[in-house]
Amino acid sequence: MMVFPTTIQQAAARPGIIRAGGTDLLDLARRAGISGPVVDLRDVSGQRNIQATEDGGLRIGGLVTLASLADDPQVAAMYPAVSLAAASIAGPGIRAVATVGGNLLQEVRCWYSRNPHFDCLRSGGRACWARMGDNLYHVAFDREICAAPSPSTLALAFVAHDALLETHDAALHPISGLHKVFDRQKRTQAGRPVLAAVILPAPSEGQLSSYLRVSARPLADWPLVELALRMDLAGGLVREARLVLGAVSQSPLRIPAAERALVGWAPGSFPPQEIERAIRDSARPLPMTSYKVDLAAAAVRDGIMAALENPP
Amino acid sequence: MKGSLGVGASTALLGRVPAPSAAEPGGSVAGKDQVLVETTVNGKPVVANTHQDCSALDLLRDHLGLTGCKKACQQGSCGACTALVDGVPTHTCSMPATSLQGRSVTTIEGLGPELHPVQRAFLANDALQCGFCTPGFVLAGVAFHDRWRAQHGKAEPSKDQVAAALAGHLCRCAAYDGIFRAMVQACAGLHDGDLSIFPRRDGLEKVTGKALYTVDIRLPGQLEAAVLRSPHANATLLDLDLSPARAMPGVKAVIALAQPGSRVRYAGQEIAAVAATDHRLARQAVQRIQASYDVSKPVVGFDAALAPDAPLVYDTSHRGAPVVNEVMATPARWDGNRRGPFATSIFLSHRLAREGVESARQGRGTLVHERWETGTQCHSTLEPHVAVAHWTAPDSLLLHLSTQACSSMAMDIARRWGLRESQVQVQCSYVGGAFGAKATLQPETIVAVDLARETGAPVRFALDRDEELVVGGSRPAVRMDLALAADESSALSGMDLLAESDSGVSIGNTVGLMFRLMYHNRRKRLRDYDVLTNAPPGRPFRGPGGPPAYWALEQAVDELATRMHRDPVSLRRAWDRNPARLRLYDWVDSLPAWKGRQSSARQGGRFRRGIGLAAAGWFYFFAPGTQVRLDAEPDGSIRLTCATQDMGNGTRSAMAQAAAAVLGIPPDRIELSIGDSRAPFGPSSTGSQTTASVLPAAQHAAEQLRDELLDVARHRLGLSQVQAVAGGLEHSGGRLAWKDLLSHCQPLSFVGRRQKDRGGATLLGNRQSRLGRGQAGAVQLSEVEVDTHLGTVRVLRTWTGIGSGRILVPQLALSQVYGGIIQGIGYALYEDRRLDPSTGLQLTTGLDNYIVPVLADLPEMHVHFDEDGFEYVRGGSVGLSELATLAVAASIGNAMHNATGKRFRRIPLRPDRVLEVLQS
């Protein structure tokens, strides 16, 4: 059973899994061999644009494709981290179809939870297989019971920019509440929220940002560790910073101590040991993921250098 | 065709299709889960009824028959399914069919009729081997080219730009070098004109998507099969109830593949199979089958298998244990889960080897004693294992099969189903990659044949990607304890190897053979053990046993040279007796990059570079029974026929070239007919024996034609002073082309045979495969760059020296070598099958987490062919496919050491492992 609502308000009112680009849902349905009702957003006319907001930021429709996001000159100029993050995902053949909303709300990429032979916490089972088994690609900053890292690369960049999520009812929610607003347990129930757009606040004067991805293969590979960084400057010194790690925790992970350590310094003159220590102090690796802590600590230096290379 | 209206639906037909209802407030609602889609494909309006979970690829392939779109990874990782949607390259397997509503789709079939410059560039640069990924690459390349030319004119794009545009496209043969060159040349406008001569005989069919692979075969009334596989790695099947599946409408047959009471030894083992009217239904029916198991703790990995209380993988009988290699497993002792040793050396040698090692250990000489480990590498051919079986009569079987062994497969099938060989016809015009995994009769074939017999209809069984990765074949993980000793005069004084291979439930690993092949010496003690685990059986993989063996041996030699302060080339030269390699060492010494290499001690900073050398050898096999028939017609046409196959290795091109060279005519004048078992016996493409088998036979056939035509000229036409020249003959009165002579003849037919080598061959083998005298040799250098912060490794440049005799079609030989190198890079850096340690279920079940190289991994590659030394071989050539991949990982290991001063003992060189070693 599938429906093609023409507005996201209609979509919110229908039961079923919300399908935007569908790049991942097709694979999940194939693996499971079954699928429930689908609310396909194909015929939704809005939410496909990137528009300037009144306060000088951008509103990115939930149905904007990753390719459009990565190619948008405004996004590249105002939010390099967002642009670079979008361009790093999969390959062009997927980015042409996959959407911002789909990327934020995709299922985790855990090789246990995706294997129909394992009943895990996400599919009604009682145990996390990864925790007891092969967790080479799982969390290293362990915060919740399920050991799968947050799969969304865009979420990282949006957290770095303090983005807001706009739902179908025009309500705004901080991005940090992504998984509370879009409760996975309710994802097929009529009346659950549907993402309308992501609102990026106006970048401050001289803001620096970057996104960095560490993966084994140079292109079209999942990140082992990824990092988004934003630095707001005042008088040549960092006034406020966001340092967000991805692929290492159950949600995009800010490292507040590292952010504090960046404040008050001129970009490029940071005390790297202090930042590294902040990262290492907040790590809680699984048996096979302590390398991710090393990678995160090493990636920060690259991230800062990259931010300096992307001046506004 | 399942309820579709197909391409070319007229507007009148469109008019009769009810429009989707849009009345409801919730938007349009489709009936059940079937949805009508109106779209445009290759310029024609299309209306199709699709399922909600149907992908755009399913619609294009199954409904519209556009088989140039290939189904390979099924999850957007490989790009074989690419089509242009509104001009944009899109992975159609990951796009819902319903999303095509109102869009315009161009598939590879929709290009043309003129070839696009990118297609011409692909042909000219031999940017393809098996061709299965080619339509996807071509379409993505076309889109990039057209955009590039519009923006940049004829400027050349950089490697990074091409790699980014083609990211998400996988070529398992690794034709990336040709693809990159093709893209650069096409963008630079070098292929705007006419098609130039191209080396690959079946290239045109591949770049246009016209090549029909087994997976593309659609016979009238064809059913689709699916298999129930055990979700348990170690269990006893208690009960199997097929009736719920049988009761489903559209299900035509359900058969048991395991009987209650039988042991299940790996997760993925076949339990039952279904044939139904379509694949989705077959899969649903499989899920209805009731199977219950008594589940036991499985044995996963070496340590679990060798633990004192380990459950036995073969507890009562090990009869019927599958064999991992192409050769029969020799008898050996079973000790728990360990089987062996298979000793490749004799007792006296053992004593000498141990003495040599012991003496070095006590300080009289130098000893390197280390443990080396390699991971499990999956073949994961892009065309999965697939068979389409059709019993054309109760005792007559037509089997379309993706195989690298057309002739021998037909024999095996005849034997299994009690048929005469003449009653079995195996066809495989195109093979979408094989690499060793498609050489023997396996369950996928048996399922298709049995279900076709049961239903009386043609049945196709194609593995899905997760099945392909689990049961489609793998190179076993190996761990090797190797003691390598040199005496005080730096002569090899002892080689003591204990190799253990985990090929799951299969036996017969022969890693030690490679140690015997290299550095001829009596002082060797080589022991091979199979370690039995509850994992799927391994299958032969390009140079079976070789890459792991050289990973250990060639690093140990390198380490020994370092400790003895000897140059690694001079040490090898002192130990080696292989004439081909001895010449190649001279070539290595002449390379500026090698001469100028730095020692690791002189490097600092984050990025370290190093160059490493490794050597390798491979056997020379050929199939003595090979026959090539040559048919020449009065109209001048010449055709070669042989029951061999072309899996991307270039069989067609080599045969044509061999015959053309005898006659002095362009190879494109010769037609080819291969990939059908009813033709004269042809070699299986295993052990790098294809060229050494078909080349002399094709040559022999052409020689017979030449001699016959010379005879005709002399005796029938009464010409004098007749002698053959290029393209025909010369006589006292002028010249005559072969074509003119043929017009004087009835149709002629000759059978060319694979005649004996000068001096004969060894006694090992049979008519299908025999070990020849002499060995091919290779040397491999790799330059790596290690990011010591992130643990990532890039191979920047490679130099490969190949000594395998005469090179017949240089561009295709190069393609083989390039592919072997990049596959070796994948083996060294990425490829890593992973099993859950507690259940034995495979975790790497997609090409998103089983990582293989992409174009961005392409190094700058230099290849040198040493063509001497095989003059005694008919045709002068022995195979090189396996040779090219054997030493790559080892050379990377030595380069890592040169770069960092650390020894890396385990592959793949994942960032976590690299960091661990660097921090140690």
Side-chain angles (χ1 to χ4, degrees), chain B residues 221-366:
Chain B
Q222 178 175 307
L223 303 173
E224 299 292 329
V227 162
L228 175 69
R229 299 181 179 279
S230 168
H232 307 295
N234 184 11
T236 301
L237 180 65
L238 295 179
D239 207 16
L240 186 62
D241 183 4
L242 307 177
S243 57
R246 285 196 172 120
M248 291 172 72
V251 170
K252 302 299 181 185
V254 186
I255 57 174
L257 301 172
Q259 302 306 323
S262 63
R263 267 293 289 283
V264 170
R265 292 195 171 86
Y266 57 92
Q269 192 170 326
E270 298 79 8
I271 303 296
V274 171
T277 47
D278 72 58
H279 187 236
R280 186 185 307 279
L281 183 62
R283 280 183 57 114
Q284 283 167 354
V286 158
Q287 291 189 324
R288 299 269 187 97
I289 295 171
Q290 300 290 317
S292 60
Y293 304 86
D294 179 17
V295 182
S296 308
K297 184 175 153 47
V299 168
V300 182
F302 287 107
D303 294 338
L306 300 178
D309 55 345
L312 294 180
V313 173
Y314 290 94
D315 49 353
T316 50
S317 168
H318 41 77
R319 199 174 298 160
V323 178
V324 66
N325 278 338
E326 282 140 1
V327 288
M328 288 293 291
T330 47
R333 201 164 63 87
W334 291 71
D335 176 15
N337 287 322
R338 201 158 89 139
R339 177 185 175 278
F342 168 57
T344 335
S345 46
I346 56 167
F347 183 73
L348 172 66
S349 311
H350 286 194
R351 208 189 67 211
L352 292 172
R354 277 188 297 192
E355 283 171 5
V357 167
E358 208 40 52
S359 171
R361 201 186 301 280
Q362 286 162 13
R364 291 187 299 279
T366 312

Side-chain angles (χ1 to χ4, degrees), chain B residues 785-807:
Chain B
E785 183 179 82
V786 186
D787 181 338
T788 56
H789 289 184
L790 301 178
T792 50
V793 180
R794 304 281 172 256
V795 179
L796 304 177
R797 294 188 288 175
T798 63
W799 296 262
T800 309
I802 296 279
S804 66
R806 189 159 74 101
I807 298 299

Side-chain angles (χ1 to χ4, degrees), chain B residues 556-905:
Chain B
V557 172
D558 197 72
E559 182 64 29
L560 204 58
T562 305
R563 291 191 197 171
M564 296 191 300
H565 307 291
R566 279 288 299 261
D567 172 69
V569 174
S570 83
L571 183 65
R572 285 180 173 84
R573 197 185 273 117
W575 287 10
D576 208 338
R577 290 196 198 168
N578 180 282
R581 269 194 308 273
L582 287 171
R583 288 192 299 274
L584 292 172
Y585 292 138
D586 295 341
W587 171 73
V588 171
D589 273 337
S590 75
L591 292 171
W594 176 250
K595 280 190 282 196
R597 73 189 187 283
Q598 306 239 318
S599 83
S600 58
R602 295 181 54 187
Q603 295 198 41
R606 170 175 176 178
F607 294 96
R608 311 272 175 87
R609 289 189 179 190
I611 296 185
L613 164 74
W618 190 246
F619 308 95
Y620 151 42
F621 289 108
F622 67 102
T626 303
Q627 298 183 354
V628 172
R629 194 178 70 230
L630 183 152
D631 295 294
E633 304 293 330
D635 66 2
S637 66
I638 299 170
R639 172 178 294 272
L640 298 176
T641 304
C642 178
T644 189
Q645 56 287 315
D646 194 329
M647 54 180 189
N649 50 325
T651 311
R652 286 184 174 94
S653 316
M655 284 172 67
Q657 178 66 41
V662 171
L663 299 171
I665 57 175
D668 59 3
R669 285 269 313 281
I670 293 177
E671 294 167 47
L672 286 154
S673 188
I674 65 169
D676 188 325
S677 66
R678 295 208 167 171
F681 174 85
S684 58
S685 297
T686 55
S688 293
Q689 68 174 0
T690 312
T691 303
S693 304
V694 297
L695 192 155
Q699 198 172 306
H700 181 222
E703 286 162 1
Q704 292 175 65
L705 173 67
R706 181 194 62 199
D707 294 349
E708 172 71 18
L709 292 177
L710 291 174
D711 230 40
V712 167
R714 286 186 190 115
H715 301 116
R716 199 173 322 153
L717 303 180
L719 304 175
S720 60
Q721 292 171 24
V722 171
Q723 64 172 40
V725 294
L729 55 80
E730 255 173 24
H731 58 93
S732 54
R735 284 185 65 124
L736 265 179
W738 300 125
K739 196 174 154 72
D740 302 329
L741 282 157
L742 283 169
S743 68
H744 295 283
C745 303
Q746 294 293 310
L748 298 173
S749 188
F750 305 95
V751 174
R753 293 173 201 284
R754 204 301 180 183
Q755 295 164 296
K756 285 185 178 143
D757 291 346
R758 225 181 318 132
T762 73
L763 295 174
L764 287 172
N766 53 30
R767 118 181 229 272
Q768 297 187 28
S769 193
R770 181 173 295 280
L771 183 64
R773 285 181 308 110
Q775 286 141 13
V779 295
Q780 175 73 35
L781 288 96
S782 298
E783 180 184 34
V784 300
E785 183 179 82
V786 186
D787 181 338
T788 56
H789 289 184
L790 301 178
T792 50
V793 180
R794 304 281 172 256
V795 179
L796 304 177
R797 294 188 288 175
T798 63
W799 296 262
T800 309
I802 296 279
S804 66
R806 189 159 74 101
I807 298 299
L808 200 63
V809 191
Q811 237 180 322
L812 266 60
L814 275 175
S815 292
Q816 282 282 298
V817 175
Y818 291 155
I821 293 166
I822 296 172
Q823 280 186 353
I825 292 173
Y827 181 60
L829 302 189
Y830 308 134
E831 299 191 35
D832 193 15
R833 183 197 74 181
R834 300 188 73 82
L835 304 178
D836 174 53
S838 67
T839 61
L841 279 159
Q842 190 161 325
L843 301 172
T844 42
T845 57
L847 287 173
D848 66 329
N849 57 24
Y850 184 82
I851 301 297
V852 302
V854 291
L855 197 149
D857 290 299
L858 171 69
E860 177 189 312
M861 296 183 283
H862 306 267
V863 178
H864 166 75
F865 292 115
D866 183 295
E867 301 193 44
D868 297 335
F870 293 91
E871 292 79 10
Y872 62 93
V873 173
R874 285 278 167 187
S877 294
V878 302
L880 57 72
S881 159
E882 291 166 295
L883 201 54
T885 206
L886 295 171
V888 177
S891 72
I892 290 172
N894 287 335
M896 294 286 290
H897 181 259
N898 181 228
T900 65
K902 302 272 187 181
R903 210 29 99 175
F904 295 78
R905 296 182 185 83

Side-chain angles (χ1 to χ4, degrees), chain A residues 30 35 42 112 134 217 302, chain B residues 53 98 606 834 836 852:
Chain A
R30 186 183 62 80
S35 67
R42 180 191 75 188
Y112 289 98
D134 188 335
R217 187 171 71 184
D302 291 354
Chain B
D53 297 335
T98 52
R606 170 175 176 178
R834 300 188 73 82
D836 174 53
V852 302

Side-chain angles (χ1 to χ4, degrees), chain B residues 67-68 108-109 113 135 204-213 430:
Chain B
T67 52
I108 191 79
E109 291 89 349
L204 198 58
E205 292 76 11
K206 288 174 175 174
V207 299
T208 54
K210 293 197 176 94
L212 274 189
Y213 295 79
Y430 298 95

